[in-house]
Amino acid sequence: MSATQAAFGLCGYVAATCLLAFLFPQSVLAFLSFQASLLLLYYVDAPRKVKLFLGASVLFVLLPALGWLNGYYLEIAIQIGIFVALALGLNIVVGFVGLLNLGFVAFYAIGAYLWAIFGSPQANAFIPGGWFPLSPNWFFVFLLLSIAVGALTGILLGLPVLRLRGDYLAIVTLGFAEVVRALMNNLDKPINLTNGPRGISPIAKPPLFFEPLLQFIGIDVPSAMLYPLYFYFLILIMVGIIILVTRRLENSRVGRAWKAIREDEVAASAMGVPVVRMKLLGFAVGASFASAVGVLFASKQVFINPESFTFMESIGVLAMVILGGMGSVPGAILGATGVTILNLQLLKGLSLWLNGLRQSGAELVIPFLGSYSLSQLPAQFEPAKYERMVFGLILILMMIFRPQGVLPPAQERKK
Amino acid sequence: MELALEILPQVLLDGIVLGFMYALIALGYTMVYGVLEFINFAHSEIFVLGAFVGVEVMLLLQSAGLLDTFHPAVILLLVITTGMIISGFAAMALERVAYRPLLGGPRLVALISAIGASFFLQDGLRLFESLWRNTFYLNYPSLEYLDHTVPLAGNLVIPVKSMLVIFTALLTLAGLHFFVNRTKLGMGIRAVAQDPDTASLMGVPVKRVIALTFFVGGALGGLAGVLFGIHYSLVNPYSGFIPGLKAFTAAVLGGIGNIPGAMVGGMILGLLEAFAASYLSLITNGAFGAEYKDVVAFLVLILILIFRPKGILGETVRESKA
């Protein structure tokens, strides 16, 4: 197949699936096949310009347009974006430096609570003066601040523990995340910092600084409808920046030092790589990504509590990185997208479908065994509730059959 | 101060019971680490499996109306042995399916597979119980006999439940000590822990010894699960995570790979936790209460790993390349 044919094929595929998703807004399958167009873009060999054009039009025009018509699509896209950003952050720590961090969610939580506490009336509980919630304009300041805070906590945790051997490090980071969660759960006394298990709300959304501009050109939409699109573009930009930073780091002196440490710490150190400093840097960079995403997550959710930051989330992100391929940027993106879609669309869709069957009360006739009324399907049998099982299976199967992941990094592929 | 002294015996008792449970679970971590140098992350699920087998056996006996006909000791013996055997075999199966294919590869690969197994087992148990009993929060049926108390010195009483935990644990630990140090199989385990390659040259069937280690560790975890269930009565598929993490802490505290170390570490951690739960709010004037007992346990883990990564009972672990 020539490159031109491929280009036409791609255009046709994108147009067709977009139309399908537009015509059948309820269909999970239509939207899935539309999402698959991005994957196809990555794999198919077509002129670079065509690919770029198609990719940009999907991400910047078609998906937002579909999302405008069906808010659910946009919600999924935002969730995917958040997990892609987290997976890219963890990919630096696990994939590049080779440190298994089981408490990655702690940094995400720290970022989220940073904005949640000051972007809501919560901070009034311990800082007198009634200054809070801060005006939405502070959002971007806190986004920058969270990068610094995330990096700082990463370094503070890393300093004592990075000398540990791999599996000990994993358990200590896990313990750290549990400590952070216990603190979030319990620091509502003696001073009410986090409001405990009740969580914090309402958390301010980012400022709509472009609203006057929109009104100026004559577009007047209520801000409630603007926000999902706004968050979509924010996370898109954030993921873009993270990809850029990761790519630059990967091919730099630092990135090569990281990989050297991953392959053989002793040899790297003998070659003059400052092992501890480089490990700390990796920890800090990953943590700062997670923390920045946390700020966005908090303001998108409006309400957060410690339940959003369990060990489960850490493992979910880990499963994404491993599925995609440790140390591979496209892999992390693919893994995060795949697992999120699996979780939010496929499992939920399957649950809904089973529920439908249950309510229809249809009879399932099995030859020789008699019939079984589907209304008797146990109510507990809901695939959406078994995401742990799915994550677990992904981890075991990947480790046994393809430890390098679906899209391993380039050097690995050569081997 | 008076209050502090008044609750002291109770705190000690709680700590000892908890300590024995942690010790039993920690042994599973430590023995597997000894032979394979790898953290069996799914051990906490083997522990929960024991608790579930126990509750199932008791519920089945109850529905058959046999719970009151037999002597409580017979019932307990039955529950404990079934729990131990099934957990032991489950641990062996786990090793066969999720770990053996990865033997010899990088350690992190096996650890990640273990985490996957842990998650899979949690939801697997949940799915099974959901389909079987339509709920996955199960309550141990109460045995009246176990709720009795025995008077000790002064006005101090000790519940039969706690005595059951203490005596069973002591008996098992003594048995384990004999097994590991005085039998041929135990010698095989020790040989593989010291050096698998040389052991294999000396005719020790290394793979079988590893499977045996998983069986023994799993059975001890299952025993801890049954005792946990009998003592605290409520179990769910996710209740193993925190005790598992703490038992691992205990194993590290005592020196991972070291069998007496796991017992000592478990006891220290149990006592520490009981003291934190009761005295933290007294010490800090109510600012920090019992809810920080988990934080204390994890801080202990972090501190030990930083200052004495070999644990209290020192060095028995081979240093090899990570």
Side-chain angles (χ1 to χ4, degrees), chain A residues 50 74 114 141 160 170 174 182 206-207 213 271 295 311 322 332 339-340 377-378 396:
Chain A
V50 178
L74 220 46
L114 185 70
V141 179
L174 168 53
L213 190 76
M271 290 295 150
V295 171
F311 179 51
I322 284 169
V339 173
T340 316
L377 267 179
I396 302 180

mmCIF file of all heavy atoms in Angstrom, chain A residues 50 74 114 141 160 170 174 182 206-207 213 271 295 311 322 332 339-340 377-378 396:
data_model
loop_
_atom_site.group_PDB
_atom_site.id
_atom_site.type_symbol
_atom_site.label_atom_id
_atom_site.label_comp_id
_atom_site.label_asym_id
_atom_site.label_seq_id
_atom_site.Cartn_x
_atom_site.Cartn_y
_atom_site.Cartn_z
ATOM 1 N N VAL A 50 0.346 14.805 6.516
ATOM 2 C CA VAL A 50 -1.041 14.333 6.568
ATOM 3 C C VAL A 50 -1.376 13.871 7.975
ATOM 4 O O VAL A 50 -2.424 14.200 8.530
ATOM 5 C CB VAL A 50 -1.248 13.176 5.570
ATOM 6 C CG1 VAL A 50 -2.659 12.644 5.650
ATOM 7 C CG2 VAL A 50 -0.905 13.630 4.171
ATOM 8 N N LEU A 74 -16.541 14.312 26.191
ATOM 9 C CA LEU A 74 -15.529 15.243 26.669
ATOM 10 C C LEU A 74 -15.003 14.808 28.034
ATOM 11 O O LEU A 74 -13.801 14.868 28.307
ATOM 12 C CB LEU A 74 -16.141 16.645 26.755
ATOM 13 C CG LEU A 74 -15.246 17.781 26.306
ATOM 14 C CD1 LEU A 74 -14.573 17.464 25.007
ATOM 15 C CD2 LEU A 74 -16.043 19.056 26.202
ATOM 16 N N LEU A 114 -3.370 20.890 47.523
ATOM 17 C CA LEU A 114 -2.788 22.231 47.546
ATOM 18 C C LEU A 114 -3.797 23.254 47.017
ATOM 19 O O LEU A 114 -4.069 24.273 47.654
ATOM 20 C CB LEU A 114 -1.523 22.236 46.692
ATOM 21 C CG LEU A 114 -0.713 23.524 46.705
ATOM 22 C CD1 LEU A 114 -0.060 23.701 48.054
ATOM 23 C CD2 LEU A 114 0.337 23.504 45.612
ATOM 24 N N VAL A 141 -1.193 30.376 39.197
ATOM 25 C CA VAL A 141 -0.087 30.506 40.150
ATOM 26 C C VAL A 141 0.096 29.187 40.888
ATOM 27 O O VAL A 141 1.212 28.682 41.059
ATOM 28 C CB VAL A 141 -0.381 31.642 41.150
ATOM 29 C CG1 VAL A 141 0.753 31.750 42.152
ATOM 30 C CG2 VAL A 141 -0.593 32.948 40.423
ATOM 31 N N PRO A 160 15.989 10.245 51.867
ATOM 32 C CA PRO A 160 16.327 9.129 52.744
ATOM 33 C C PRO A 160 16.199 7.760 52.081
ATOM 34 O O PRO A 160 16.922 6.843 52.444
ATOM 35 C CB PRO A 160 15.340 9.259 53.901
ATOM 36 C CG PRO A 160 14.205 10.019 53.350
ATOM 37 C CD PRO A 160 14.758 10.902 52.305
ATOM 38 N N ALA A 170 10.059 0.127 46.765
ATOM 39 C CA ALA A 170 8.657 0.021 46.388
ATOM 40 C C ALA A 170 7.767 0.039 47.623
ATOM 41 O O ALA A 170 6.771 0.768 47.684
ATOM 42 C CB ALA A 170 8.437 -1.264 45.597
ATOM 43 N N LEU A 174 5.091 2.909 48.971
ATOM 44 C CA LEU A 174 3.717 2.518 49.279
ATOM 45 C C LEU A 174 3.329 2.986 50.680
ATOM 46 O O LEU A 174 2.239 3.550 50.896
ATOM 47 C CB LEU A 174 3.610 0.998 49.150
ATOM 48 C CG LEU A 174 2.382 0.284 49.666
ATOM 49 C CD1 LEU A 174 1.147 0.887 49.084
ATOM 50 C CD2 LEU A 174 2.451 -1.177 49.293
ATOM 51 N N ALA A 182 -3.491 8.791 55.252
ATOM 52 C CA ALA A 182 -3.935 8.841 56.645
ATOM 53 C C ALA A 182 -3.950 10.289 57.131
ATOM 54 O O ALA A 182 -4.862 10.699 57.851
ATOM 55 C CB ALA A 182 -3.015 7.993 57.516
ATOM 56 N N PRO A 206 -10.696 27.169 37.179
ATOM 57 C CA PRO A 206 -9.762 28.155 36.627
ATOM 58 C C PRO A 206 -10.517 29.348 36.020
ATOM 59 O O PRO A 206 -11.698 29.229 35.706
ATOM 60 C CB PRO A 206 -9.010 27.363 35.559
ATOM 61 C CG PRO A 206 -9.814 26.157 35.304
ATOM 62 C CD PRO A 206 -10.574 25.863 36.539
ATOM 63 N N PRO A 207 -9.839 30.486 35.893
ATOM 64 C CA PRO A 207 -10.519 31.696 35.423
ATOM 65 C C PRO A 207 -10.861 31.619 33.935
ATOM 66 O O PRO A 207 -10.094 31.091 33.140
ATOM 67 C CB PRO A 207 -9.482 32.791 35.683
ATOM 68 C CG PRO A 207 -8.181 32.087 35.592
ATOM 69 C CD PRO A 207 -8.411 30.715 36.147
ATOM 70 N N LEU A 213 -13.432 38.080 25.389
ATOM 71 C CA LEU A 213 -13.033 37.964 23.994
ATOM 72 C C LEU A 213 -14.122 37.253 23.196
ATOM 73 O O LEU A 213 -14.511 37.685 22.105
ATOM 74 C CB LEU A 213 -11.723 37.187 23.915
ATOM 75 C CG LEU A 213 -11.042 37.191 22.549
ATOM 76 C CD1 LEU A 213 -10.370 38.523 22.295
ATOM 77 C CD2 LEU A 213 -10.022 36.068 22.461
ATOM 78 N N MET A 271 31.062 4.888 35.925
ATOM 79 C CA MET A 271 31.301 5.750 34.767
ATOM 80 C C MET A 271 31.150 7.225 35.120
ATOM 81 O O MET A 271 31.157 8.082 34.240
ATOM 82 C CB MET A 271 30.317 5.413 33.652
ATOM 83 C CG MET A 271 30.574 4.092 33.004
ATOM 84 S SD MET A 271 32.143 4.149 32.178
ATOM 85 C CE MET A 271 32.658 2.477 32.286
ATOM 86 N N VAL A 295 -3.660 19.470 40.670
ATOM 87 C CA VAL A 295 -4.329 20.770 40.755
ATOM 88 C C VAL A 295 -5.494 20.819 39.767
ATOM 89 O O VAL A 295 -6.621 21.206 40.105
ATOM 90 C CB VAL A 295 -3.334 21.907 40.465
ATOM 91 C CG1 VAL A 295 -4.051 23.237 40.322
ATOM 92 C CG2 VAL A 295 -2.296 21.983 41.554
ATOM 93 N N PHE A 311 -4.397 3.389 47.068
ATOM 94 C CA PHE A 311 -3.375 2.538 46.482
ATOM 95 C C PHE A 311 -3.808 2.043 45.102
ATOM 96 O O PHE A 311 -3.011 1.906 44.178
ATOM 97 C CB PHE A 311 -3.148 1.354 47.421
ATOM 98 C CG PHE A 311 -2.124 0.379 46.934
ATOM 99 C CD1 PHE A 311 -0.874 0.814 46.531
ATOM 100 C CD2 PHE A 311 -2.413 -0.965 46.879
ATOM 101 C CE1 PHE A 311 0.062 -0.092 46.086
ATOM 102 C CE2 PHE A 311 -1.473 -1.866 46.436
ATOM 103 C CZ PHE A 311 -0.240 -1.435 46.038
ATOM 104 N N ILE A 322 3.007 -0.144 32.464
ATOM 105 C CA ILE A 322 3.537 -1.461 32.126
ATOM 106 C C ILE A 322 2.890 -2.007 30.869
ATOM 107 O O ILE A 322 3.553 -2.597 30.013
ATOM 108 C CB ILE A 322 3.357 -2.394 33.320
ATOM 109 C CG1 ILE A 322 4.426 -2.029 34.333
ATOM 110 C CG2 ILE A 322 3.459 -3.846 32.913
ATOM 111 C CD1 ILE A 322 4.247 -2.634 35.633
ATOM 112 N N ALA A 332 3.355 4.790 27.178
ATOM 113 C CA ALA A 332 2.630 5.298 28.338
ATOM 114 C C ALA A 332 1.308 5.932 27.898
ATOM 115 O O ALA A 332 0.272 5.756 28.549
ATOM 116 C CB ALA A 332 3.476 6.319 29.089
ATOM 117 N N VAL A 339 -6.253 1.694 29.175
ATOM 118 C CA VAL A 339 -6.806 1.283 30.466
ATOM 119 C C VAL A 339 -7.978 2.180 30.864
ATOM 120 O O VAL A 339 -8.983 1.704 31.392
ATOM 121 C CB VAL A 339 -5.707 1.282 31.546
ATOM 122 C CG1 VAL A 339 -6.306 1.037 32.906
ATOM 123 C CG2 VAL A 339 -4.681 0.222 31.236
ATOM 124 N N THR A 340 -7.856 3.496 30.597
ATOM 125 C CA THR A 340 -8.953 4.381 30.965
ATOM 126 C C THR A 340 -10.210 4.051 30.168
ATOM 127 O O THR A 340 -11.319 4.018 30.718
ATOM 128 C CB THR A 340 -8.561 5.855 30.720
ATOM 129 O OG1 THR A 340 -7.251 6.050 31.200
ATOM 130 C CG2 THR A 340 -9.510 6.777 31.428
ATOM 131 N N LEU A 377 -29.540 -13.354 37.005
ATOM 132 C CA LEU A 377 -28.126 -12.986 37.094
ATOM 133 C C LEU A 377 -27.911 -12.232 38.394
ATOM 134 O O LEU A 377 -28.620 -11.273 38.678
ATOM 135 C CB LEU A 377 -27.762 -12.061 35.930
ATOM 136 C CG LEU A 377 -27.207 -12.661 34.662
ATOM 137 C CD1 LEU A 377 -26.954 -11.564 33.660
ATOM 138 C CD2 LEU A 377 -25.926 -13.394 34.957
ATOM 139 N N PRO A 378 -26.951 -12.656 39.197
ATOM 140 C CA PRO A 378 -26.761 -11.982 40.483
ATOM 141 C C PRO A 378 -26.452 -10.499 40.285
ATOM 142 O O PRO A 378 -25.701 -10.133 39.384
ATOM 143 C CB PRO A 378 -25.566 -12.709 41.091
ATOM 144 C CG PRO A 378 -25.417 -13.958 40.324
ATOM 145 C CD PRO A 378 -26.020 -13.740 38.984
ATOM 146 N N ILE A 396 -0.145 -9.361 35.659
ATOM 147 C CA ILE A 396 0.429 -10.714 35.631
ATOM 148 C C ILE A 396 0.722 -11.134 34.192
ATOM 149 O O ILE A 396 1.822 -11.586 33.868
ATOM 150 C CB ILE A 396 -0.522 -11.750 36.248
ATOM 151 C CG1 ILE A 396 -0.868 -11.375 37.676
ATOM 152 C CG2 ILE A 396 0.115 -13.137 36.248
ATOM 153 C CD1 ILE A 396 -1.804 -12.362 38.319
#
